[in-house]
Amino acid sequence: MTISFSGLASGLDTSSWVEALVSAKEQSLITPLQTQYKTLSAQKTTLDKVKATYSTLLTSTQAFTDAKFGVSKDIFSSNIVSSSDEKKIVASVTNSTPRQTISVEVLKLATATKVTSQNPIAAMIDENTNISSIASGNVKEGVLSFYVGGKRYSIDVEAADTLGAVADKMESAAVGEDGSSLIDVSFEDGKFTIVSTNGEEVRVGTNSDTSNLASALSLSTKDDGAVQSLYSIGALDLNVPLLSVESGFYKYNDAGEKVSLITEGTFTIGGAEFTINEKTTMNELISKINTSSTAEATAFYDSVQNKLVLTSKQEGAFNVNIEGGTSNITDILGLTSDGNIIPETQDLGHNAEVVINGSTVQSYSNTLTSEVSGISGLTLDLKDVTETGKAVSIVVGQDTDKIIKQFEDLINSLNSLISTTDSATASGGDLQYDSTLNSMRSSIRVTAASAIQDAGTYKTLASIGITTGKVGASVDAETNQFTIDKEMLKEALSTDPESVRLLLIGDESSGITGLVQQIQDITDNALDVSSGFFKTRSNTLDSQIENVNTKITNKTAYIESYQEQLEKKFQAMETQISNLQSQYSQMSSIIGS
């Protein structure tokens, strides 16, 4: 950057002169271009706003004219359905469902097949069972209390304890005056039993206990005063690998050692194959079954019965497909015998039984589709059986509210287009006096107010309740905005829906072009991406804006050059004055001497 020192020799403020001259040049050359750029940019922005209203109107018209693509898209075929008792039946319909009243009685709901393993799936608890192997490993350490004849005794339950160790602690804690234990703890058929040795009543647990072992063993005081598990307790740990004896799947060999029962390999439920390996736990297996898209069943472990329960996802009298494979797990679980299903374990579901308009039909599912109901587009979701002789009425009718909503969207879009265009083309507007925009706006406005003589009962929008003002409104009132008389429109849709349809979208086979179709044609032409008004006008503005930008760039470069020339000239002048001053000083010195 060149640093200039204004008037060092002459004493003149040449920097201000340069600034003033450059500013004057900018005002004459660049400022008009910048003003032109702002005007053109504003026109482009406003044009885009107007274009957006045309796009919205086009979308609104398509909601009506899409009827030509079939009944599924026909707004005039829109149906709504109601049930006289949705606690019994919930219904849904499509546009193809005939409008009618349907009588439905639900005699029986469909149920799903349930498979329960034939025998308890894990070993029963005994004195060798670790407390971590019961209650799915959720037994807590802490204090366990019990009473004998009203006197409280407590023990500490530890994670490493076996049930035999717990029994020893309890017997050692409750000692009489003679040194003998006041209770006897035993195991039989998977039940934990506590009996007093002196005939007194035994109770287990207090509200201050920190261990939940009593709950995990389901201990309860019997009528004879003894305490016993309410049911046989399985020693199944859901989080230990199934191949491990610690999971609960074991037997004792001749040497008294625990031996695993389950082997590695595969098996099938539904259409899904599952694999058992050294890491597979019962919880993991249940999760895989429940998340499988092809098993077609859900599973859970019933800790009370110590059994695995499968429930078919499909209602109806179908077997749940279970096939043994290279693993013996389904045989061990009691779901199969030699790899084949055990019929006694499968409690088959049954079909739904429904009376529709007097005819009895059956369905595998509680969701009856049109294939079962025999009525196109109708789906019945059965919730409960109906009372004898009390049918539920399913009423299918025209979805008037949906149709009116589309009318509101159409009119709002039309009003927005008119008001936005009027604002843009008004005096002082960014697109003031644009004749093409005004012409298109007027064409749309006039079309909306015109008549279709062959439409039948209703020949104008006004005849179905769409006007630019109520009858008798002041002439000073705004008449460019359309309004809807909803009650009048509902009556027209109810009285002669076909005439309303002809008025709006016409009929190609009869050569009738409806008002909405005409408006759509005008809008579609304006938005044509190759030669429409908005494309052409936008291209022109883009070209003008680019041209102005180029001129601004060129003029800016010219002014920078102009400024440099001025600075050089004034710098040369200062240099000349400085030289003259130096010569004068020398001559004065010579003459003086």
Side-chain angles (χ1 to χ4, degrees), residues 225-252:
V227 168
Q228 190 176 59
S229 301
L230 291 174
Y231 50 84
S232 298
I233 307 297
L236 176 63
D237 192 328
L238 301 177
N239 297 307
V240 171
L242 293 167
L243 301 183
S244 168
V245 294
E246 301 304 323
S247 68
F249 291 99
Y250 62 85
K251 63 180 179 180
Y252 289 101

mmCIF file of all heavy atoms in Angstrom, residues 225-252:
data_model
loop_
_atom_site.group_PDB
_atom_site.id
_atom_site.type_symbol
_atom_site.label_atom_id
_atom_site.label_comp_id
_atom_site.label_asym_id
_atom_site.label_seq_id
_atom_site.Cartn_x
_atom_site.Cartn_y
_atom_site.Cartn_z
ATOM 1 N N GLY A 225 -48.421 -74.354 60.887
ATOM 2 C CA GLY A 225 -47.377 -73.582 61.547
ATOM 3 C C GLY A 225 -46.015 -73.701 60.906
ATOM 4 O O GLY A 225 -45.086 -72.983 61.282
ATOM 5 N N ALA A 226 -45.880 -74.589 59.932
ATOM 6 C CA ALA A 226 -44.606 -74.727 59.220
ATOM 7 C C ALA A 226 -44.530 -73.689 58.104
ATOM 8 O O ALA A 226 -45.533 -73.116 57.683
ATOM 9 C CB ALA A 226 -44.467 -76.124 58.646
ATOM 10 N N VAL A 227 -43.321 -73.438 57.589
ATOM 11 C CA VAL A 227 -43.091 -72.518 56.473
ATOM 12 C C VAL A 227 -42.590 -73.332 55.288
ATOM 13 O O VAL A 227 -41.706 -74.187 55.448
ATOM 14 C CB VAL A 227 -42.068 -71.433 56.848
ATOM 15 C CG1 VAL A 227 -41.614 -70.668 55.607
ATOM 16 C CG2 VAL A 227 -42.657 -70.475 57.868
ATOM 17 N N GLN A 228 -43.181 -73.076 54.115
ATOM 18 C CA GLN A 228 -42.790 -73.848 52.936
ATOM 19 C C GLN A 228 -42.973 -72.999 51.673
ATOM 20 O O GLN A 228 -43.813 -72.089 51.622
ATOM 21 C CB GLN A 228 -43.635 -75.109 52.825
ATOM 22 C CG GLN A 228 -43.138 -76.093 51.765
ATOM 23 C CD GLN A 228 -43.941 -77.362 51.764
ATOM 24 O OE1 GLN A 228 -45.154 -77.342 51.567
ATOM 25 N NE2 GLN A 228 -43.268 -78.495 52.025
ATOM 26 N N SER A 229 -42.181 -73.294 50.641
ATOM 27 C CA SER A 229 -42.352 -72.631 49.343
ATOM 28 C C SER A 229 -43.736 -72.950 48.796
ATOM 29 O O SER A 229 -44.221 -74.079 48.916
ATOM 30 C CB SER A 229 -41.289 -73.110 48.354
ATOM 31 O OG SER A 229 -39.996 -72.842 48.824
ATOM 32 N N LEU A 230 -44.390 -71.979 48.201
ATOM 33 C CA LEU A 230 -45.740 -72.173 47.671
ATOM 34 C C LEU A 230 -45.752 -73.105 46.480
ATOM 35 O O LEU A 230 -46.757 -73.738 46.177
ATOM 36 C CB LEU A 230 -46.344 -70.824 47.273
ATOM 37 C CG LEU A 230 -46.685 -69.882 48.432
ATOM 38 C CD1 LEU A 230 -47.129 -68.524 47.887
ATOM 39 C CD2 LEU A 230 -47.777 -70.486 49.307
ATOM 40 N N TYR A 231 -44.641 -73.201 45.763
ATOM 41 C CA TYR A 231 -44.539 -74.082 44.609
ATOM 42 C C TYR A 231 -43.084 -74.529 44.465
ATOM 43 O O TYR A 231 -42.185 -73.984 45.117
ATOM 44 C CB TYR A 231 -45.011 -73.391 43.333
ATOM 45 C CG TYR A 231 -44.387 -72.035 43.095
ATOM 46 C CD1 TYR A 231 -43.152 -71.916 42.477
ATOM 47 C CD2 TYR A 231 -45.032 -70.868 43.518
ATOM 48 C CE1 TYR A 231 -42.572 -70.690 42.279
ATOM 49 C CE2 TYR A 231 -44.449 -69.633 43.324
ATOM 50 C CZ TYR A 231 -43.218 -69.538 42.702
ATOM 51 O OH TYR A 231 -42.647 -68.309 42.509
ATOM 52 N N SER A 232 -42.884 -75.531 43.645
ATOM 53 C CA SER A 232 -41.522 -76.026 43.436
ATOM 54 C C SER A 232 -40.683 -74.956 42.767
ATOM 55 O O SER A 232 -41.100 -74.354 41.770
ATOM 56 C CB SER A 232 -41.546 -77.287 42.566
ATOM 57 O OG SER A 232 -42.272 -78.314 43.208
ATOM 58 N N ILE A 233 -39.499 -74.710 43.279
ATOM 59 C CA ILE A 233 -38.623 -73.651 42.786
ATOM 60 C C ILE A 233 -37.550 -74.254 41.881
ATOM 61 O O ILE A 233 -36.848 -75.205 42.262
ATOM 62 C CB ILE A 233 -37.944 -72.898 43.946
ATOM 63 C CG1 ILE A 233 -38.985 -72.400 44.950
ATOM 64 C CG2 ILE A 233 -37.108 -71.739 43.406
ATOM 65 C CD1 ILE A 233 -39.968 -71.386 44.403
ATOM 66 N N GLY A 234 -37.447 -73.710 40.688
ATOM 67 C CA GLY A 234 -36.416 -74.178 39.767
ATOM 68 C C GLY A 234 -35.104 -73.448 39.986
ATOM 69 O O GLY A 234 -35.083 -72.245 40.258
ATOM 70 N N ALA A 235 -34.027 -74.191 39.836
ATOM 71 C CA ALA A 235 -32.700 -73.595 40.021
ATOM 72 C C ALA A 235 -32.182 -73.124 38.670
ATOM 73 O O ALA A 235 -31.172 -73.600 38.163
ATOM 74 C CB ALA A 235 -31.751 -74.604 40.644
ATOM 75 N N LEU A 236 -32.892 -72.187 38.052
ATOM 76 C CA LEU A 236 -32.515 -71.696 36.718
ATOM 77 C C LEU A 236 -31.946 -70.296 36.817
ATOM 78 O O LEU A 236 -32.610 -69.369 37.305
ATOM 79 C CB LEU A 236 -33.729 -71.700 35.781
ATOM 80 C CG LEU A 236 -33.499 -71.125 34.388
ATOM 81 C CD1 LEU A 236 -32.483 -71.959 33.631
ATOM 82 C CD2 LEU A 236 -34.813 -71.062 33.610
ATOM 83 N N ASP A 237 -30.724 -70.131 36.333
ATOM 84 C CA ASP A 237 -30.115 -68.806 36.258
ATOM 85 C C ASP A 237 -30.170 -68.364 34.797
ATOM 86 O O ASP A 237 -29.480 -68.904 33.938
ATOM 87 C CB ASP A 237 -28.668 -68.844 36.755
ATOM 88 C CG ASP A 237 -28.112 -67.430 36.972
ATOM 89 O OD1 ASP A 237 -28.536 -66.507 36.227
ATOM 90 O OD2 ASP A 237 -27.265 -67.254 37.859
ATOM 91 N N LEU A 238 -30.996 -67.381 34.518
ATOM 92 C CA LEU A 238 -31.234 -66.944 33.136
ATOM 93 C C LEU A 238 -30.016 -66.301 32.494
ATOM 94 O O LEU A 238 -29.976 -66.157 31.268
ATOM 95 C CB LEU A 238 -32.408 -65.958 33.093
ATOM 96 C CG LEU A 238 -33.754 -66.483 33.613
ATOM 97 C CD1 LEU A 238 -34.794 -65.375 33.577
ATOM 98 C CD2 LEU A 238 -34.218 -67.657 32.787
ATOM 99 N N ASN A 239 -29.041 -65.918 33.285
ATOM 100 C CA ASN A 239 -27.896 -65.176 32.758
ATOM 101 C C ASN A 239 -26.626 -66.003 32.664
ATOM 102 O O ASN A 239 -25.562 -65.477 32.346
ATOM 103 C CB ASN A 239 -27.637 -63.924 33.617
ATOM 104 C CG ASN A 239 -28.809 -62.955 33.570
ATOM 105 O OD1 ASN A 239 -29.244 -62.564 32.501
ATOM 106 N ND2 ASN A 239 -29.321 -62.591 34.740
ATOM 107 N N VAL A 240 -26.735 -67.287 32.941
ATOM 108 C CA VAL A 240 -25.582 -68.188 32.850
ATOM 109 C C VAL A 240 -25.724 -69.012 31.572
ATOM 110 O O VAL A 240 -26.830 -69.438 31.224
ATOM 111 C CB VAL A 240 -25.512 -69.116 34.085
ATOM 112 C CG1 VAL A 240 -24.449 -70.195 33.892
ATOM 113 C CG2 VAL A 240 -25.207 -68.293 35.330
ATOM 114 N N PRO A 241 -24.644 -69.246 30.824
ATOM 115 C CA PRO A 241 -24.729 -70.049 29.592
ATOM 116 C C PRO A 241 -25.448 -71.373 29.819
ATOM 117 O O PRO A 241 -25.218 -72.062 30.818
ATOM 118 C CB PRO A 241 -23.268 -70.252 29.203
ATOM 119 C CG PRO A 241 -22.585 -69.025 29.732
ATOM 120 C CD PRO A 241 -23.273 -68.724 31.037
ATOM 121 N N LEU A 242 -26.322 -71.711 28.876
ATOM 122 C CA LEU A 242 -27.149 -72.908 29.002
ATOM 123 C C LEU A 242 -26.323 -74.186 29.091
ATOM 124 O O LEU A 242 -26.753 -75.185 29.682
ATOM 125 C CB LEU A 242 -28.109 -72.999 27.809
ATOM 126 C CG LEU A 242 -29.190 -71.912 27.745
ATOM 127 C CD1 LEU A 242 -29.867 -71.919 26.377
ATOM 128 C CD2 LEU A 242 -30.214 -72.111 28.851
ATOM 129 N N LEU A 243 -25.135 -74.178 28.486
ATOM 130 C CA LEU A 243 -24.290 -75.376 28.500
ATOM 131 C C LEU A 243 -23.594 -75.582 29.844
ATOM 132 O O LEU A 243 -23.030 -76.655 30.096
ATOM 133 C CB LEU A 243 -23.241 -75.297 27.388
ATOM 134 C CG LEU A 243 -23.784 -75.173 25.957
ATOM 135 C CD1 LEU A 243 -22.638 -75.185 24.958
ATOM 136 C CD2 LEU A 243 -24.763 -76.288 25.640
ATOM 137 N N SER A 244 -23.653 -74.561 30.711
ATOM 138 C CA SER A 244 -23.008 -74.661 32.013
ATOM 139 C C SER A 244 -23.959 -75.317 33.022
ATOM 140 O O SER A 244 -25.163 -75.050 33.010
ATOM 141 C CB SER A 244 -22.619 -73.262 32.515
ATOM 142 O OG SER A 244 -22.248 -73.306 33.878
ATOM 143 N N VAL A 245 -23.415 -76.156 33.900
ATOM 144 C CA VAL A 245 -24.252 -76.797 34.929
ATOM 145 C C VAL A 245 -24.808 -75.742 35.888
ATOM 146 O O VAL A 245 -25.820 -75.971 36.553
ATOM 147 C CB VAL A 245 -23.457 -77.867 35.710
ATOM 148 C CG1 VAL A 245 -23.078 -79.017 34.806
ATOM 149 C CG2 VAL A 245 -22.217 -77.260 36.378
ATOM 150 N N GLU A 246 -24.152 -74.581 35.954
ATOM 151 C CA GLU A 246 -24.609 -73.524 36.852
ATOM 152 C C GLU A 246 -25.886 -72.863 36.354
ATOM 153 O O GLU A 246 -26.521 -72.094 37.060
ATOM 154 C CB GLU A 246 -23.506 -72.464 37.018
ATOM 155 C CG GLU A 246 -22.205 -72.993 37.577
ATOM 156 C CD GLU A 246 -22.405 -73.692 38.920
ATOM 157 O OE1 GLU A 246 -23.246 -73.220 39.722
ATOM 158 O OE2 GLU A 246 -21.739 -74.714 39.154
ATOM 159 N N SER A 247 -26.265 -73.136 35.104
ATOM 160 C CA SER A 247 -27.491 -72.548 34.566
ATOM 161 C C SER A 247 -28.727 -73.205 35.169
ATOM 162 O O SER A 247 -29.813 -72.619 35.181
ATOM 163 C CB SER A 247 -27.536 -72.707 33.046
ATOM 164 O OG SER A 247 -27.679 -74.076 32.695
ATOM 165 N N GLY A 248 -28.567 -74.443 35.664
ATOM 166 C CA GLY A 248 -29.710 -75.184 36.204
ATOM 167 C C GLY A 248 -30.074 -76.377 35.354
ATOM 168 O O GLY A 248 -30.885 -77.213 35.758
ATOM 169 N N PHE A 249 -29.476 -76.481 34.165
ATOM 170 C CA PHE A 249 -29.726 -77.632 33.293
ATOM 171 C C PHE A 249 -28.625 -78.669 33.530
ATOM 172 O O PHE A 249 -27.582 -78.631 32.880
ATOM 173 C CB PHE A 249 -29.755 -77.195 31.826
ATOM 174 C CG PHE A 249 -30.949 -76.340 31.468
ATOM 175 C CD1 PHE A 249 -30.837 -74.961 31.394
ATOM 176 C CD2 PHE A 249 -32.183 -76.924 31.221
ATOM 177 C CE1 PHE A 249 -31.934 -74.179 31.078
ATOM 178 C CE2 PHE A 249 -33.283 -76.154 30.903
ATOM 179 C CZ PHE A 249 -33.164 -74.776 30.836
ATOM 180 N N TYR A 250 -28.876 -79.561 34.471
ATOM 181 C CA TYR A 250 -27.862 -80.580 34.795
ATOM 182 C C TYR A 250 -28.541 -81.820 35.384
ATOM 183 O O TYR A 250 -29.714 -81.812 35.758
ATOM 184 C CB TYR A 250 -26.847 -80.031 35.801
ATOM 185 C CG TYR A 250 -27.456 -79.647 37.138
ATOM 186 C CD1 TYR A 250 -27.638 -80.607 38.146
ATOM 187 C CD2 TYR A 250 -27.850 -78.342 37.403
ATOM 188 C CE1 TYR A 250 -28.198 -80.281 39.363
ATOM 189 C CE2 TYR A 250 -28.416 -77.999 38.629
ATOM 190 C CZ TYR A 250 -28.586 -78.970 39.598
ATOM 191 O OH TYR A 250 -29.156 -78.633 40.805
ATOM 192 N N LYS A 251 -27.757 -82.872 35.451
ATOM 193 C CA LYS A 251 -28.158 -84.082 36.167
ATOM 194 C C LYS A 251 -26.917 -84.586 36.913
ATOM 195 O O LYS A 251 -25.788 -84.148 36.632
ATOM 196 C CB LYS A 251 -28.676 -85.143 35.210
ATOM 197 C CG LYS A 251 -27.647 -85.649 34.209
ATOM 198 C CD LYS A 251 -28.237 -86.695 33.280
ATOM 199 C CE LYS A 251 -27.183 -87.171 32.271
ATOM 200 N NZ LYS A 251 -27.743 -88.200 31.354
ATOM 201 N N TYR A 252 -27.123 -85.484 37.852
ATOM 202 C CA TYR A 252 -25.989 -86.028 38.590
ATOM 203 C C TYR A 252 -25.559 -87.364 37.949
ATOM 204 O O TYR A 252 -26.396 -88.207 37.610
ATOM 205 C CB TYR A 252 -26.361 -86.284 40.052
ATOM 206 C CG TYR A 252 -26.546 -84.998 40.841
ATOM 207 C CD1 TYR A 252 -27.819 -84.508 41.111
ATOM 208 C CD2 TYR A 252 -25.443 -84.296 41.308
ATOM 209 C CE1 TYR A 252 -27.996 -83.347 41.836
ATOM 210 C CE2 TYR A 252 -25.609 -83.124 42.045
ATOM 211 C CZ TYR A 252 -26.894 -82.657 42.307
ATOM 212 O OH TYR A 252 -27.051 -81.505 43.017
#
